[in-house]
Amino acid sequence: MLYIDIVLWAVYLLLVVATAVAVWSAIHGVQTHERTDDPLASRRTSMLGYITAGVVAVVLLLTYLLASTQPVVSNGKPFTDTLWLRLTDMFIFSSILLICLCSAIVVAAKFRR
């Protein structure tokens, strides 16, 4: 039981650190963002950011809606909470799908040049 408490506190600490780094990175990125005179270049980069955020949101929504609600037996006890079952499936399948999508984009960009 002692190790479970240590792991949980480590996860909480990592969550706080990751959130702090993400907030700092966003603020730093906004403050140091170079403004260009070329409207097409700035439009393309901002459009790419919107497309990326939209794809991630759509993937998360679709994987949540298509997730299974079948009960799972864990430690000999059935787990039937449909919200957590769907969220677990959503994170697993969206992670796999986004990793595959990113790998395909990297390969396509490599052979494009």
Side-chain angles (χ1 to χ4, degrees):
M1 194 67 168
L2 172 69
Y3 295 120
I4 293 173
D5 291 337
I6 292 172
V7 170
L8 285 174
W9 281 109
V11 169
Y12 293 146
L13 178 67
L14 286 174
L15 176 66
V16 168
V17 169
T19 304
V21 168
V23 168
W24 176 82
S25 177
I27 292 170
H28 180 70
V30 167
Q31 289 176 346
T32 60
H33 179 70
E34 290 184 23
R35 306 285 190 250
T36 61
D37 292 336
D38 185 12
L40 291 178
S42 62
R43 185 181 315 150
R44 180 181 171 132
T45 56
S46 64
M47 184 60 85
L48 187 61
Y50 291 137
I51 289 172
T52 303
V55 166
V56 171
V58 167
V59 165
L60 287 173
L61 180 67
L62 286 177
T63 53
Y64 178 79
L65 293 175
L66 297 174
S68 172
T69 57
Q70 293 268 329
V72 175
V73 177
S74 177
N75 294 330
K77 297 179 183 176
F79 186 75
T80 59
D81 189 357
T82 57
L83 173 73
W84 290 111
L85 288 169
R86 281 184 179 257
L87 285 176
T88 303
D89 269 2
M90 177 189 76
F91 284 123
I92 291 170
F93 290 125
S94 59
S95 297
I96 292 170
L97 186 62
L98 290 172
I99 288 171
C100 292
L101 184 63
C102 288
S103 299
I105 290 171
V106 167
V107 168
K110 180 71 174 170
F111 290 115
R112 182 177 167 201
R113 294 180 186 217

